[in-house]
Amino acid sequence: MATSVRLLRRYVWLVDTVRRAKHITFEEIKEQWLNEKSIRMEKEKELPERTFHRHREAIADLFGIDILCNRFNGNTYYIDNEDALNKPTFTAWLFNGLSLDNRLMENEEVADRILFDETPGGSEHMATVATALTENRILKIVHKRFNKSKGTENIVEPYGMKQTGRRWYLVGKPQGSDRLLVFALDRIDSIELTDKTFKLDEAIDIRSYFDDVVGVNVDEDFDCEKVVVRIYGTQCAYVDALPIHKSQKIIKSTKEYCDYQYKVRPEYEFQHEILRLGAAAEVISPKWLREEFIWMADEIRNRYNKSNS
C-alpha cells in the first residue's frame, strides 16, 4: 500500500476510533492500534505519542475535524466538532466512505455483501473541475446532450458541482450567457483547463440557486409556487423519512392520508418524484398541475390499452 494511502487510512481509522468511543485515552487508542494489521506495517509496534499528535494535526488540516484532550476527564480524547461528519458535505461523504472501506479491507466476504448503485461515469473529470473552481479558471468542454448525436463545445466559467440522482454535474456560466447552466459530467466528451481566469459574480449564490427545485433543472418557465400533494397510506411514512423537497411540511393528517405542502418550481424533476409514488400520490393544487397529472394518467392508460389490444 502506498505511503500516502496508508497515511490517509490511518487518519480515518483514528477519527473513527475516537468517534465510536466518544471519550478514549491514548493508552486505549494504542491498544486498539495493535489489532489493526491492515493499516500498519508488520514491523510497527506501538503507536508513538509524537506520531499520534502529528496525525491529529493532519486530520484537522485535511478534514477540519478537531480531536481534543479533556484534561478534566482522565486525559481522554474526543471529537470537538462531530457534526462536521454528519453534514451533507463532500468531505463528510469521503470520510464516511473511507471509514467503511477500512472496516471491509480484511473481510472480502463481507465486502461482497455491500452493494452500490452503478454511476454512469464522469468521475474522471472531477479533479479538473475542482482545480478550475479553486483557481477560478475557465473550462473548455465538449458536452453531448441526450437528444443530440454530436457534442457541442462550451467555454464555461465554473461556479460549482452538484450531485443528484447518481450523477455529478458541473454548474457554470457559459461564455455569452447571463445565467447558470448544468452539464452532466458523464455527458462530457472532453474537458480542458484553460489559462484564462474569471471573476466570480458575487450576486450568484450557488448554495441557494437550487433551493426551488428538485435536482438540478432550474426551469424558468415554471414559477416558484405552493404545491399541495396528498399521499395515501403507508407512503406517508416513506415521504416523512425522505422528503421530496426541503420545503416539505404537513398541513393536514388523517388516518387515510396526509397533505404535504411544497414551495417549488413544479418542473419535470419534481413531477417525476410525484409519479414515482404511483397511485399513492394525488396532486391537489395548483389546478393547472393537477390537470397535468390527469392528462399524464390518461396517456398512461391509453398506452396500456393499446398494448392490450
Side-chain angles (χ1 to χ4, degrees):
M1 185 187 298
T3 303
S4 57
V5 175
R6 188 182 297 276
L7 269 176
L8 187 59
R9 289 191 179 280
R10 288 180 176 188
Y11 300 155
V12 171
W13 174 86
L14 181 55
V15 173
D16 204 32
T17 299
V18 178
R19 184 188 193 185
R20 285 184 284 112
K22 302 299 184 184
H23 290 272
I24 188 170
T25 65
F26 177 59
E27 292 300 319
E28 290 169 330
I29 292 172
K30 286 197 299 181
E31 185 177 340
Q32 293 195 33
W33 167 258
L34 291 174
N35 296 323
E36 292 295 330
K37 296 180 181 178
S38 62
I39 60 172
R40 65 179 180 85
M41 293 181 285
E42 290 184 8
K43 64 180 181 180
E44 292 181 304
K45 300 302 180 183
E46 286 191 348
L47 176 66
E49 186 169 3
R50 186 170 60 179
T51 300
F52 166 68
H53 291 303
R54 284 204 305 266
H55 285 3
R56 287 174 57 206
E57 293 173 1
I59 288 165
D61 289 339
L62 281 173
F63 298 113
I65 299 169
D66 299 316
I67 299 176
L68 303 183
C69 182
N70 188 339
R71 305 294 181 189
F72 303 99
N73 186 28
N75 288 331
T76 55
Y77 289 90
Y78 66 99
I79 297 176
D80 187 50
N81 54 340
E82 190 172 344
D83 286 348
L85 295 172
N86 301 321
K87 293 179 179 178
T89 63
F90 185 79
T91 299
W93 172 80
L94 174 64
F95 174 85
N96 289 310
L98 288 170
S99 176
L100 174 62
D101 198 46
N102 269 357
R103 295 294 95 199
L104 300 177
M105 277 186 67
E106 290 189 337
N107 196 326
E108 292 184 5
E109 181 182 344
V110 173
D112 289 340
R113 288 153 52 193
I114 308 296
L115 308 179
F116 300 89
D117 281 341
E118 291 186 14
T119 56
S123 58
E124 67 273 19
H125 302 315
M126 293 181 71
T128 301
V129 174
T131 300
L133 291 173
T134 303
E135 301 176 2
N136 287 348
R137 288 167 66 179
I138 293 173
L139 290 167
K140 181 191 292 185
I141 67 172
V142 175
H143 183 263
K144 184 166 64 178
R145 298 189 178 278
F146 284 109
N147 59 345
K148 302 291 184 181
S149 59
K150 294 182 64 176
T152 303
E153 185 175 280
N154 295 266
I155 307 300
V156 181
E157 298 175 357
Y159 273 73
M161 279 193 293
K162 180 174 170 61
Q163 186 271 334
T164 185
R166 296 192 295 140
R167 275 195 167 90
W168 278 96
Y169 294 84
L170 162 65
V171 184
K173 186 191 290 186
Q175 200 170 58
S177 175
D178 60 354
R179 60 187 293 263
L180 295 177
L181 292 179
V182 295
F183 304 88
L185 294 192
D186 62 293
R187 303 300 295 176
I188 293 178
D189 288 337
S190 66
I191 186 167
E192 178 185 337
L193 188 66
T194 73
D195 293 330
K196 296 180 180 178
T197 60
F198 70 100
K199 185 177 181 180
L200 287 170
D201 185 345
E202 295 181 359
I204 295 176
D205 181 4
I206 191 69
R207 288 186 173 275
S208 62
Y209 183 71
F210 299 98
D211 279 354
D212 299 336
V213 299
V214 173
V216 296
N217 186 31
V218 183
D219 191 336
E220 294 183 354
D221 289 338
F222 293 85
D223 293 328
C224 184
E225 57 183 309
K226 290 181 181 179
V227 176
V228 177
V229 180
R230 180 165 294 171
I231 308 295
Y232 291 91
T234 57
Q235 287 298 311
C236 293
Y238 175 83
V239 171
D240 286 340
L242 293 172
I244 294 170
H245 184 261
K246 65 180 183 180
S247 65
Q248 175 176 299
K249 65 178 181 179
I250 296 178
I251 58 174
K252 185 178 181 180
S253 180
T254 72
K255 290 182 179 180
E256 292 78 26
Y257 64 82
C258 293
D259 286 348
Y260 295 89
Q261 180 179 286
Y262 303 91
K263 188 73 180 296
V264 293
R265 295 179 190 264
E267 40 65 59
Y268 167 79
E269 290 187 83
F270 176 79
Q271 293 179 25
H272 183 72
E273 288 300 305
I274 304 303
L275 287 171
R276 287 179 63 234
L277 296 169
E282 176 189 359
V283 174
I284 303 301
S285 64
K287 183 180 178 181
W288 74 264
L289 185 59
R290 180 178 175 85
E291 291 175 347
E292 182 77 7
F293 273 78
I294 292 172
W295 174 83
M296 284 190 281
D298 287 339
E299 288 293 297
I300 292 170
R301 182 172 58 249
N302 291 337
R303 181 157 293 172
Y304 277 95
N305 286 338
K306 287 180 181 179
S307 65
N308 289 332
S309 59

